[in-house]
Amino acid sequence: MKTPDAPAIVSPAAADPYRNPIGFDFKNTYARLPERFYARVAPTPVVDPHLIKVNVQLARNLGLDPDALASSQGVEILAGNRVAEGSEPLAMAYAGHQFGNFVPQLGDGRANLLGEVIGRDGVRYDIQLKGSGRTPFSRGGDGRAALGPVLREYIVSEAMAALGVPTARVLAAVMTGQQVMRETPQPGAVMTRVAASHLRVGTFQYFAARGDTEGTHILADYAIARHYPEAAQANQPYRALLDSVVARQAHLVAQWMLLGFIHGVMNTDNTSISGETIDYGPCAFMEAYEPNKVFSSIDQQGRYAYSNQPHAAHWNLVRLAESLLPLLNEEMGSEEAGLASAQESLAAFAPHFDTARAAGLRRKLGLTIEHEGDLALAEKLLDRMAANQADYTLTFRRLCDAVVGTEADTAIRALFADPSAYDSWADDWRKRLGNESVSAQERAVMMRRASPAFIPRNHLVQAAIEAAVDRQDFRSFEELLDVVSCPYEDRPALERYTTPARPEECVTATFCGT
Ligand code: AMP
Ligand code: MG
């Protein structure tokens, strides 16, 4: 494996600047899988492509030249008007449970996998265009993406990456010069998405639903080789694969919970095998802490409410285990033993999640040693925050100051509808801190790494989107990207980005990315 500092390897393709101006050295391992895994389809050209932004740092991490990406030839590739040499574009097949209802065929209805590149970290990444036109999986859709949802995904996924949460990222966004019809006509955009892969729980369901055990085998072997190579050495490799996905998803959702993030559409087709956050549709970070908070306008039942997220993830993993049963049965020697293996694997979700969440809460409270009442102390704070509409992010961030001295209490009390709800909790907290051996300053440093100052607050995301969509003004978008890219640092000049929406600015719902 290459080290992060290793120089980019210049491929033969990169040496021909006309045919492959960006120097993409595409690998196409997915395109080597059997034909029934995808449909070969090229992006549909757009009328008038214009660059919005190239993610310079991400491009460099991938060994790509950001200036070449931003050049007119680069933009043609990013818009889908030209297929770079070495790319074998395709739309992936997958199925999925959407809000609990099984759809046997979904697939990339508006995305093209261009190929894979090996990043400077040695990891293989998918390069995918989203919003790049119709495919055989489009059903009734237009194959396009609107500018607003593209900018939302760019901002929120960059925030997640900077927060240290595994996530798909946006390498570039371009305007198409075409309108897309949504509730109202919207400017169209194409984004280039980078992910460790686009394998989903729904990809496994696709083959399982067809009784295609050979396909499931091939897919599982591919997932192991790409994401969990150590599973290949295990006595039961498919069990090891399931165990690994269960663990990664448990950690991922624990991180979401610790940051107050609501994904919004945790369907099985949006649940990645690599354990990354994918598909930023109606997602949001909570402001006032409210365990049952829902933002998505399509989630009427609250299926994907904040506090339901671990249950939803577990439910999705049960669907993965079901899809893998034929393989588990084979490696265990009987259906009974295969089922038991699946159940054992799934049972590990809760302990993985609980351990990750408890560790995170301990960091947020500045507790370096484990004590029995720690979790109860954290839950008590959360209960009081909920009862008093305290801002989730600010409360925890201000605790980083309060751990050093009581002067910061005033600012925290102000976040609670009834400030005394904080006072009595803080007494308990400070008693507990008395058992700690590390200095208050060290604790504060640890806490500031666990509780960000900056999240992409909804009203700011909304304002950035509106300025771009209504007035082609991308300044707020750029500013917000800058703000969320260093979430754990105090930046006094950016104070206004840390405060919750005023009542008239409040965004109560976010909408699906279509
Ligand atoms: P999503 O809500 O983005 O996770 O998409 C769910 C499914 O609907 C996937 O199969 C998408 O490819 C498909 N889809 C979403 N929007 C469109 C669109 N505008 N055109 C075609 N297919 C779409
Ligand atoms: Mg999706």
Side-chain angles (χ1 to χ4, degrees):
M1 234 200 258
K2 280 182 271 178
T3 64
D5 294 321
I9 292 174
V10 178
S11 70
D16 182 345
Y18 178 71
R19 299 181 72 191
N20 189 345
I22 299 177
F24 273 128
D25 181 12
F26 280 122
K27 318 285 184 219
N28 298 286
T29 60
Y30 208 79
R32 298 284 84 75
L33 294 175
E35 296 280 335
R36 63 189 189 283
F37 278 61
Y38 49 78
R40 290 190 189 277
V41 54
T44 308
V46 302
V47 171
D48 188 17
H50 279 281
L51 182 67
I52 299 169
K53 190 168 179 67
V54 166
N55 190 332
V56 171
Q57 196 52 51
L58 178 59
R60 293 208 178 109
N61 293 348
L62 293 172
L64 301 171
D65 174 359
D67 295 330
L69 280 172
S71 71
S72 59
Q73 291 174 326
V75 172
E76 282 196 19
I77 290 172
L78 299 172
N81 285 21
R82 175 214 287 244
V83 176
E85 200 200 12
S87 163
E88 298 180 37
L90 58 84
M92 293 169 72
Y94 54 86
H97 274 90
Q98 298 192 305
F99 292 92
N101 303 309
F102 186 61
V103 185
Q105 181 167 305
L106 287 166
D108 289 331
R110 53 164 167 173
N112 296 86
L113 177 64
L114 297 184
E116 304 130 28
V117 299
I118 312 292
R120 289 184 162 198
D121 55 5
V123 175
R124 179 181 301 271
Y125 292 97
D126 277 3
I127 307 290
Q128 188 207 60
L129 298 187
K130 186 169 172 184
S132 48
R134 288 179 54 78
T135 78
F137 302 111
S138 296
R139 297 172 291 161
D142 62 2
R144 293 299 181 188
L147 176 60
V150 165
L151 297 182
R152 177 187 302 280
E153 176 149 354
Y154 202 143
I155 295 165
V156 182
S157 63
E158 279 308 289
M160 292 291 261
L163 288 162
V165 182
T167 181
R169 293 178 72 177
V170 178
L171 175 63
V174 296
M175 304 270 282
T176 61
Q178 292 168 214
Q179 297 243 300
V180 293
M181 269 315 293
R182 296 296 181 258
E183 274 163 30
T184 54
Q186 298 281 318
V190 177
M191 68 180 205
T192 308
R193 182 157 72 168
V194 177
S197 85
H198 287 85
L199 301 181
R200 310 137 193 271
V201 169
T203 320
F204 282 89
Q205 290 182 291
Y206 180 85
F207 295 101
R210 282 158 182 75
D212 182 354
T213 302
E214 191 203 10
T216 309
H217 256 293
I218 295 169
L219 180 63
D221 290 341
Y222 183 84
I224 287 173
R226 190 148 172 191
H227 299 301
Y228 305 105
E230 63 290 348
Q233 314 307 322
N235 288 336
Q236 282 99 28
Y238 302 120
R239 165 64 188 275
L241 168 64
L242 182 58
D243 286 347
S244 304
V245 182
V246 166
R248 291 262 184 111
Q249 280 288 331
H251 280 101
L252 178 68
V253 177
Q255 281 183 279
W256 292 354
M257 300 299 282
L258 290 163
L259 292 165
F261 177 74
I262 304 174
H263 181 279
V265 60
M266 293 176 68
N267 292 332
T268 57
D269 56 306
N270 295 338
T271 303
S272 101
I273 296 299
S274 72
E276 290 180 321
T277 312
I278 54 164
D279 263 334
Y280 291 86
C283 59
F285 284 80
M286 270 198 288
E287 296 208 300
Y289 179 61
E290 188 187 328
N292 295 323
K293 186 76 182 165
V294 178
F295 281 98
S296 168
S297 55
I298 52 172
D299 189 1
Q300 303 288 341
Q301 314 289 322
R303 182 181 172 92
Y304 301 135
Y306 172 77
S307 57
N308 272 348
Q309 295 188 118
H311 309 288
H314 181 264
W315 192 94
N316 292 341
L317 291 164
V318 177
R319 307 285 86 78
L320 175 63
E322 283 168 0
S323 306
L324 288 172
L325 266 183
L327 277 50
L328 298 172
N329 293 346
E330 265 174 42
E331 72 183 3
M332 296 304 293
S334 75
E335 286 188 12
E336 212 181 356
L339 185 62
S341 179
Q343 282 166 340
E344 239 176 73
S345 185
L346 291 165
F349 180 86
H352 276 310
F353 174 80
D354 290 342
T355 306
R357 177 170 178 267
L361 285 171
R362 224 178 265 114
R363 282 193 296 275
K364 288 171 96 72
L365 295 186
L367 311 178
T368 59
I369 39 181
E370 281 187 41
H371 265 254
E372 213 184 286
D374 290 350
L375 196 58
L377 183 69
E379 299 290 5
K380 193 168 166 186
L381 173 63
L382 289 168
D383 287 347
R384 291 180 180 205
M385 287 164 63
N388 290 279
Q389 299 95 47
D391 184 83
Y392 185 87
T393 304
L394 272 184
T395 301
F396 282 108
R397 186 68 182 186
R398 289 183 182 171
L399 285 180
C400 309
D401 300 322
V403 80
V404 184
T406 51
E407 307 81 67
D409 281 359
T410 313
I412 305 181
R413 298 179 85 245
L415 300 171
F416 286 69
D418 170 8
S420 70
Y422 168 70
D423 296 334
S424 54
W425 177 83
D427 288 344
D428 292 350
W429 179 47
R430 292 205 165 97
K431 259 181 229 136
R432 166 64 183 82
L433 288 173
N435 299 327
E436 289 288 319
S437 49
V438 306
S439 73
Q441 294 299 342
E442 283 174 90
R443 283 199 293 269
V445 169
M446 173 182 83
M447 291 169 74
R448 287 198 182 95
R449 285 196 210 115
S451 293
F454 299 100
I455 50 159
R457 290 183 180 268
N458 297 316
H459 62 293
L460 302 173
V461 175
Q462 200 60 39
I465 290 174
E466 271 169 28
V469 170
D470 299 345
R471 304 187 292 280
Q472 292 76 54
D473 177 354
F474 290 88
R475 283 174 302 181
S476 301
F477 164 71
E478 294 279 354
E479 261 173 44
L480 196 49
L481 271 181
D482 172 56
V483 166
V484 300
S485 65
C486 300
Y488 295 114
E489 270 169 42
D490 282 321
R491 295 161 84 187
L494 299 177
E495 183 72 23
R496 72 180 187 286
Y497 289 95
T498 65
T499 47
R502 293 188 302 273
E504 71 277 13
E505 294 173 323
C506 240
V507 178
T508 53
T510 52
F511 300 91
C512 203
T514 55

